[in-house]
Amino acid sequence: MATILGTDDQAVLTAANALADGKLVAIPTETVYGLAADATNGDAVAGIFEAKGRPHFNPLICHVSGIAMAERYAAIDPLSRRLMEAFWPGPLTFVLPLRPDTAIHPLVAAGLDTIAVRMPRGVAGKIIATLDRPLAAPSANTSGKISGTSAHAVNDDLGARISLILDAGPSEVGLESTIVKVDGPRVALLRPGGLAAEDIEAVVQAKLERMDQRAAIEAPGMMASHYAPTASMRLNVHEVREGEALLAFGPQRASTAENASASLNLSDSGNLREAAANLFDFMKRLDRLGAPVIAVEPIPFNGLGEAINDRLVRAAAPRATLIAEMDEIK
């Protein structure tokens, strides 16, 4: 299994040196744990796809230390810059045009002429600043499976395939970043995530445009089947069937909840921020118990509920969808 270190200055230096040598390192961010590689090193980036079993047509987010680093690789329009100034560091990713002759390896962009960039909070930002290179860092989990929100979860999944994990405890946000793309005065929401759409709309003073889930893949997390447990998922349930595991939300239970073989509540009080932080961990915990189906109580769509429901819908999608998407791209 992988070596697990803390997040002190020596651990940051060890991680930066490993990344400079072309190795993969699982690093904590405020969203979820990421599987990081030097985004300018093609062999290292290829290692991410190999370790995760990730389709090569699915682009990666490029994590930077700030707007100045982002400008080395991407053309930043005025509205994107305004949003960066409002929300960076934080869980907001921008899809921007790649600059000509960029040092970012083409694998990161998956053949697109755009790049997804984000500035993370905390130790991940310190590692990037120490390395002085951007990091390609998708979620640290086997492709299509539940994202890791703790060092323990990452080690259980990928520990045999990577050598180093930094442990900062449970992820603060628990959902991947929100992804947007600016087109003139319009802002498209490519993936809801750890920053609520309403917060972005308050800055741009306009509604975000929602993307059709069947749209072409422009950013990570847009595949229809994703974040999936081994168990099947049944969403928006008002009645629990015999033997199902129950992923509950709020103080009121679905009828026949006593039929559940096991139950975890994302938030007893109905707090969406708490629910987001618990989502992937609780899905993993219920899945390990072996129930064939995880039944999920309704979760409102406002605020972070939009991102929670997005992840649940993708987790519940038929597994054949992923195969169909891969065949369609070939």
Side-chain angles (χ1 to χ4, degrees):
M1 301 301 276
T3 298
I4 300 179
L5 301 178
T7 56
D8 59 17
D9 289 345
Q10 184 57 51
V12 168
L13 183 59
T14 299
N17 288 337
L19 290 160
D21 289 340
K23 296 177 182 176
L24 304 183
V25 179
I27 61 173
T29 79
E30 75 276 31
T31 56
V32 297
Y33 277 66
L35 183 59
D38 176 356
T40 68
N41 182 329
D43 288 341
V45 174
I48 291 176
F49 289 93
E50 182 179 12
K52 285 176 61 73
R54 183 184 178 98
H56 282 66
F57 60 78
N58 197 5
L60 305 174
I61 292 178
C62 190
H63 293 71
V64 297
S65 59
I67 295 176
M69 180 179 283
E71 283 186 308
R72 298 182 202 169
Y73 310 106
I76 303 175
D77 58 275
L79 183 51
S80 292
R81 182 182 297 273
R82 180 147 61 95
L83 287 168
M84 289 175 182
E85 290 169 349
F87 296 113
W88 274 12
L92 181 59
T93 294
F94 298 84
V95 172
L96 299 166
L98 268 169
R99 288 194 180 279
D101 303 317
T102 177
I104 299 294
H105 194 274
L107 272 176
V108 177
L112 301 174
D113 59 2
T114 55
I115 188 71
V117 295
R118 178 171 99 83
M119 179 187 180
R121 291 200 296 261
V123 66
K126 294 179 182 179
I127 293 169
I128 298 165
T130 301
L131 182 65
D132 195 32
R133 292 176 219 162
L135 294 180
S139 56
N141 55 277
T142 300
S143 186
K145 297 299 183 181
I146 302 170
S147 301
T149 56
S150 69
H152 176 74
V154 174
N155 203 30
D156 280 351
D157 188 354
L158 297 178
R161 287 172 257 172
I162 61 177
S163 59
L164 182 61
I165 302 170
L166 266 59
D167 185 358
S171 301
E172 173 192 348
V173 176
L175 292 173
E176 295 85 357
S177 61
T178 302
I179 303 180
V180 297
K181 183 178 182 181
V182 173
D183 181 12
R186 299 181 299 128
V187 182
L189 180 66
L190 301 186
R191 179 182 75 180
L195 180 66
E198 292 90 335
D199 294 335
I200 302 170
E201 289 168 345
V203 174
V204 301
Q205 296 186 327
K207 296 291 289 184
L208 301 186
E209 295 185 2
R210 267 58 174 183
M211 301 296 292
D212 189 323
Q213 283 197 354
R214 297 166 295 179
I217 294 173
E218 295 188 68
M222 292 183 69
M223 296 178 71
S225 179
H226 208 26
Y227 317 109
T230 301
S232 298
M233 303 279 289
R234 197 164 66 89
L235 307 184
N236 299 313
V237 303
H238 296 280
E239 182 176 316
V240 181
R241 298 169 185 166
E242 191 72 35
E244 291 182 325
L246 176 62
L247 189 60
F249 176 78
Q252 302 298 320
R253 292 288 62 75
S255 66
T256 63
E258 65 276 7
N259 286 337
S261 59
S263 179
L264 289 172
N265 196 323
L266 291 169
S267 174
D268 290 320
S269 64
N271 183 295
L272 290 170
R273 187 167 297 278
E274 181 183 14
N278 287 330
L279 178 64
F280 289 138
D281 179 44
F282 283 14
M283 285 171 62
K284 279 180 178 287
R285 287 164 60 181
L286 290 176
D287 197 36
R288 288 193 198 105
L289 297 177
V293 177
I294 298 173
V296 186
E297 292 180 343
I299 295 170
F301 276 78
N302 59 291
L304 290 178
E306 181 176 9
I308 294 170
N309 280 288
D310 172 83
R311 302 309 188 269
L312 289 170
V313 167
R314 295 178 193 277
R319 306 301 191 262
T321 302
L322 176 59
I323 298 172
E325 284 179 331
M326 294 177 71
D327 287 342
E328 187 176 334
I329 295 293
K330 291 176 183 176

